[in-house]
Amino acid sequence: MAQFDVVIIGAGAAGLMCAAQAGYRGRSVLVLDHAKQAGKKILISGGGRCNFTNINASPANYLCSNPHFVKSALARYKAQDFIELVERHGVAYHEKTLGQLFCDDSAKDIVQLLLTECDWAGVTVRLRSHVADIQKTGSGFSLSANGETIHCQSLVVACGGLSMPKLCATPLGYQIAQQFGLKVLPTRAGLVPFTLDKPDLEPLAELAGVSLPVTAQSQDGTLFKEAMLFTHRGLSGPAILQISSFWQPGEDVSLNLLPDTDLAQVLTAMGAKHPNQTLKTALARLLPKRLVEVLAEQGSIDGELPLKALDEGRMKKLVQMLSAYRVHPNGTEGYRTAEVTLGGVDTDELSSKTLEAKQVPGLYFIGEVMDVTGWLGGYNFQWAWASGWAAGQAV
Ligand code: FDA
């Protein structure tokens, strides 16, 4: 029988951060993970370069049924704190866009940084460990890992959400919450591509691979201006991933296909110079040519109309159509490709300062397993670091 002060289930972003912090405080810490490798999601994140934080991270960048919940942890461990850690380990990085920081070289540098911190803090990390039979005892918890019984005072659940099962995601965190009577809010895939019904998809099929800047707006008015990508199944790209977290099944999404253009003004100026130019030719200067062709084939625009025939009524209709192009997703690609899981352990059950369950002393939930989901752009890792750090001070 083994005995540790702290057992952490999940050697991912939040779990490793928490482990190092607790270890530095002199706690004996064991991290258990069923995967063969620590930090699998970190390794594939950001296209292999890990978008490890966002310099603009603030509570406004998170979805949570209690929007105030994230404030405490985010205020105590900021993007700057993680940047300092990255710099201390000599990991080279750069800002890509919108405050998103990426490794220059490889996401492996971030996993190595976390494992080095754990090593320096005296943490034991055991991979390929199958956790079962978690029980509350008088002084803490007992559990079995690969058949061995382990006792601990504090148990930290850091086993993430359901996205990407092939990267070892499981519902264990939710099951532990439920076992101890904590409420788990319904989960669904977030930061995920949309799929379209066959009749909507067929005309767009030849656009697969085409991307363009758009603003995407959900029915609750949330709006993101980033790139959109047509795919063989529907729509993807940062603008779509962002808005997918705010979209509810059955709803439309509105796309402004020319977010930076005063279309009426531009077409009027073009028409003054080239009155016989067709609308199709004029629009192909502003939008991807293949997209204009599809819009013409669909009958969404009258492609052969000469610009001189674009009267006020037609112009208004055209501007309206291109600035509020409606798509009706029939769903998303689901957990298979989603970057995150929305919903999870209800934050009302947890202390925002320590992440400890209010009704179960010694039990902690950190990272994605709880009902906190960041936007695309390094915000989810920042939540993993901040919540892991906060619990690491308390366990
Ligand atoms: P995380 O998923 O990191 O770790 C959970 C750990 O628990 C895993 O190691 C898993 O093996 C383990 N586990 C699960 N079930 C278990 C069980 N039954 N027994 C034992 N162990 C178990 N975010 C961001 O900010 N910037 C980015 O660039 C990206 N990019 C990105 C790309 C892709 C493809 C995905 C899928 C996700 C991202 N993300 C991201 C999101 C980010 O990866 C995610 O929010 C964090 O990894 C969450 O950290 P956690 O520690 O909570 O879970």
Side-chain angles (χ1 to χ4, degrees):
M1 187 191 74
Q3 174 84 43
F4 285 85
D5 294 332
V6 184
V7 168
I8 298 173
I9 307 175
L16 293 175
M17 170 58 89
C18 179
Q21 292 307 315
Y24 283 135
R25 285 179 44 245
R27 312 289 281 153
S28 60
V29 183
L30 172 67
V31 183
L32 297 170
D33 201 299
H34 67 156
K36 289 185 212 152
Q37 232 179 343
K40 275 190 153 192
K41 277 194 188 160
I42 303 174
L43 290 171
I44 56 132
S45 68
R49 289 225 163 90
C50 185
N51 176 195
F52 56 79
T53 192
N54 193 299
I55 53 175
N56 304 317
S58 86
N61 305 115
Y62 293 87
L63 290 94
C64 175
S65 58
N66 172 6
H68 300 293
F69 181 85
V70 296
K71 288 182 180 169
S72 172
L74 289 176
R76 283 183 298 142
Y77 193 85
K78 299 197 168 78
Q80 192 53 41
D81 294 308
F82 196 75
I83 294 167
E84 277 167 29
L85 185 63
V86 165
E87 289 176 351
R88 271 206 303 284
H89 284 257
V91 176
Y93 66 93
H94 61 279
E95 181 183 341
K96 202 165 167 189
T97 172
L98 304 169
Q100 301 169 6
L101 301 190
F102 286 76
C103 298
D104 282 357
D105 188 17
S106 163
K108 284 183 198 155
D109 293 342
I110 299 296
V111 175
Q112 193 49 54
L113 172 163
L114 293 165
L115 291 175
T116 303
E117 286 287 316
C118 283
D119 191 32
W120 289 345
V123 171
T124 306
V125 179
R126 279 192 208 154
L127 303 173
R128 300 174 203 253
S129 287
H130 297 278
V131 178
D133 201 19
I134 299 168
Q135 305 291 340
K136 182 100 184 82
T137 63
S139 58
F141 299 85
S142 76
L143 54 89
S144 112
N146 292 351
E148 183 192 7
T149 302
I150 299 167
H151 285 277
C152 59
Q153 286 168 13
S154 301
L155 179 65
V156 183
V157 181
C159 39
L162 296 171
S163 52
M164 297 228 170
K166 69 170 186 218
L167 295 176
C168 298
T170 72
L172 181 65
Y174 310 130
Q175 289 161 357
I176 298 172
Q178 280 159 344
Q179 177 189 337
F180 286 98
L182 274 61
K183 191 171 169 197
V184 176
L185 299 176
T187 57
R188 66 189 169 90
L191 300 181
V192 62
F194 284 139
T195 52
L196 297 172
D197 271 332
K198 219 172 161 199
D200 293 334
L201 187 61
E202 263 169 9
L204 305 178
E206 62 188 273
L207 294 176
V210 170
S211 90
L212 70 159
V214 300
T215 56
Q217 189 169 4
S218 54
Q219 284 191 8
D220 68 357
T222 309
L223 191 140
F224 287 95
K225 186 172 156 209
E226 289 195 58
M228 177 183 86
L229 173 74
F230 291 93
T231 72
H232 290 291
R233 295 165 195 268
L235 301 172
S236 186
I240 296 300
L241 301 186
Q242 296 280 32
I243 212 66
S244 72
S245 295
F246 294 84
W247 173 82
Q248 302 293 337
E251 290 183 356
D252 281 354
V253 171
S254 171
L255 302 171
N256 184 344
L257 301 176
L258 284 163
D260 294 317
T261 308
D262 183 337
L263 185 62
Q265 199 183 51
V266 171
L267 286 180
T268 305
M270 282 181 176
K273 271 194 185 164
H274 308 287
N276 294 319
Q277 190 173 71
T278 64
L279 181 57
K280 208 162 92 175
T281 308
L283 284 177
R285 291 170 167 213
L286 306 170
L287 288 165
K289 194 168 172 223
R290 277 154 72 194
L291 173 59
V292 177
E293 280 162 7
V294 167
L295 290 171
E297 279 161 27
Q298 276 182 336
S300 298
I301 59 167
D302 181 354
E304 300 309 321
L305 192 77
L307 291 180
K308 66 184 177 201
L310 205 52
D311 57 26
E312 206 182 317
R314 283 181 170 133
M315 183 73 90
K316 216 172 146 190
K317 252 176 88 182
L318 179 69
V319 170
Q320 169 65 21
M321 193 275 295
L322 291 175
S323 62
Y325 186 80
R326 298 197 90 75
V327 287
H328 187 78
N330 68 359
T332 71
E333 290 190 7
Y335 294 121
R336 191 179 59 81
T337 61
E339 284 202 12
V340 287
T341 303
L342 293 152
V345 178
D346 190 346
T347 55
D348 284 351
E349 303 277 11
L350 308 173
S351 152
S352 61
K353 188 156 181 247
T354 62
L355 290 310
E356 187 176 19
K358 291 175 187 165
Q359 306 302 328
V360 190
L363 181 64
Y364 296 77
F365 290 83
I366 55 175
E368 198 182 313
V369 70
M370 75 181 87
D371 170 38
V372 173
T373 307
W375 293 3
L376 184 79
Y379 301 101
N380 283 295
F381 280 136
Q382 187 55 36
W383 175 247
W385 315 138
S387 59
W389 187 90
Q393 313 309 310
V395 287

